[in-house]
Amino acid sequence: MKYNKLAERLDEAAVNAQAVEQISNSQSINLEQAYAIQGLSIARRYKRGEKFVGIKLGFTSRAKMEQMGVHDLIWGRLTDRMQYFEDEELRVSEFIHPRAEPEVAFLLKKDIDQALNHENVMDYIESVAIAIEIIDSRFQNFKFSLEDVVADNCSSSGFIIGAWKGMSTQFNDAEIQLKIDSDVVQHGNTTAILGNPIESIIEASRLMIENGETLEAGQVILAGAATAAEYITADTIVTAASPSLGEVRLKIVA
Ligand code: OOG
Ligand code: MG
């Protein structure tokens, strides 16, 4: 199948909340082709008026790699339509089989104009926050190859960011929990994210420069989940919490 057709199929799967078969079941695509399909699929969202607001990294922690059986860092695009706020509800009926995972988010202070390093990365970051990412693979049974998941915009389908905090906030070596109602369903430490979530910014900058993409001041980077993800269901409240970063909650309805 042509890339455009594959992109359309993935986009429609998201719009209709209807899973599709993995691409890799019927044809083999390489990583470069997978990113091209992702780009085409997200372009359909832009055409409908959605705005690019940042990127998410995936598989930056061992917990996530092991859960999904995939072993390479990947990135996907975030649009304004995917963002939730605390006074909103997430309707599970608009998703296929959504899962939530606790994340660390960074807000950019400057446009990324070079591959960043440990010396200059902090000059580019305005603030940090706890976040929840909602992932919803468009593939049946949430099963995919690395190329499949990249083509599918790395499963991204929603996110919510807690209160932004200054960069003196302890965001590395921070305990982080995912709760469903009052039950702690996942817990970990933010060092699980590449040894320090700041590494996600360095990696993101490298990927953007390599791919000729731009990231600008005011845009967001989701550093990746520190723990495995959990399925979410209606009539629950999902919370991500960390002592220094605070907490963010999302109400899930039918
Ligand atoms: C792919 C997305 C991975 C993360 O934080 O590691 C990801 C998936 O698990 O469906 O978002
Ligand atoms: Mg994630």
Side-chain angles (χ1 to χ4, degrees):
M1 215 186 285
K2 285 264 167 45
Y3 304 156
N4 248 320
K5 192 78 203 153
L6 289 166
E8 180 185 336
R9 204 163 64 131
L10 286 167
D11 181 49
E12 285 184 350
V15 170
N16 302 326
Q18 199 76 60
V20 294
E21 199 177 330
Q22 282 174 247
I23 300 170
S24 57
N25 282 356
S26 55
Q27 64 181 288
S28 79
I29 53 167
N30 64 31
L31 211 48
E32 201 182 323
Q33 295 165 330
Y35 277 108
I37 295 166
Q38 178 190 129
L40 289 167
S41 147
I42 298 304
R44 296 172 60 89
R45 289 177 177 256
Y46 301 152
K47 253 187 148 170
R48 294 195 293 267
E50 295 186 35
K51 301 270 178 309
F52 174 81
V53 295
I55 65 165
K56 54 95 46 102
L57 293 195
F59 303 132
T60 50
S61 73
R62 194 159 297 281
K64 280 292 303 182
M65 291 191 277
E66 281 172 3
Q67 182 180 31
M68 305 316 297
V70 168
H71 297 272
D72 243 321
L73 197 146
I74 57 177
W75 67 277
R77 293 158 166 104
L78 303 172
T79 73
D80 58 345
R81 258 302 300 276
M82 299 180 190
Q83 186 163 12
Y84 285 80
F85 296 92
E86 279 205 330
D87 56 356
E88 292 176 325
E89 295 169 340
L90 181 143
R91 300 184 169 281
V92 274
S93 52
E94 294 173 3
F95 296 80
I96 301 166
H97 37 207
R99 286 172 159 176
E101 53 191 23
E103 300 236 0
V104 175
F106 293 99
L107 182 65
L108 288 176
K109 177 155 74 184
K110 296 211 290 189
D111 299 357
I112 293 198
D113 50 3
Q114 57 175 321
L116 305 179
N117 56 46
H118 293 106
E119 278 67 58
N120 61 15
V121 62
M122 289 303 254
D123 301 341
Y124 284 76
I125 312 300
E126 179 75 35
S127 40
V128 60
I130 193 155
I132 299 170
E133 187 185 15
I134 305 297
I135 52 173
D136 190 32
S137 177
R138 268 56 67 164
F139 300 117
Q140 288 156 3
N141 305 316
F142 228 112
K143 285 234 170 65
F144 44 68
S145 68
L146 185 68
E147 292 78 15
D148 288 333
V149 69
V150 164
D152 184 28
N153 199 30
C154 305
S155 307
S156 38
S157 58
F159 63 98
I160 181 166
I161 298 175
W164 289 111
K165 295 187 180 258
M167 291 308 290
S168 58
T169 308
Q170 188 188 336
F171 62 82
N172 189 35
D173 198 7
E175 296 300 317
I176 191 162
Q177 290 184 336
L178 184 75
K179 291 196 283 186
I180 295 186
D181 295 329
S182 55
D183 297 336
V184 176
V185 289
Q186 290 287 340
H187 62 92
N189 184 293
T190 58
T191 55
I193 304 164
L194 296 175
N196 182 334
I198 205 75
E199 299 290 338
S200 288
I201 309 293
I202 295 175
E203 288 297 327
S205 70
R206 181 183 59 76
L207 288 164
M208 293 303 99
I209 297 296
E210 276 175 18
N211 292 285
E213 302 280 340
T214 52
L215 271 180
E216 295 171 4
Q219 293 178 343
V220 168
I221 296 176
L222 288 183
T227 72
E230 290 285 336
Y231 283 113
I232 53 173
T233 52
D235 305 318
T236 58
I237 292 176
V238 179
T239 307
S242 179
S244 44
L245 289 166
E247 65 171 48
V248 62
R249 295 149 53 92
L250 184 57
K251 187 162 193 263
I252 315 297
V253 299

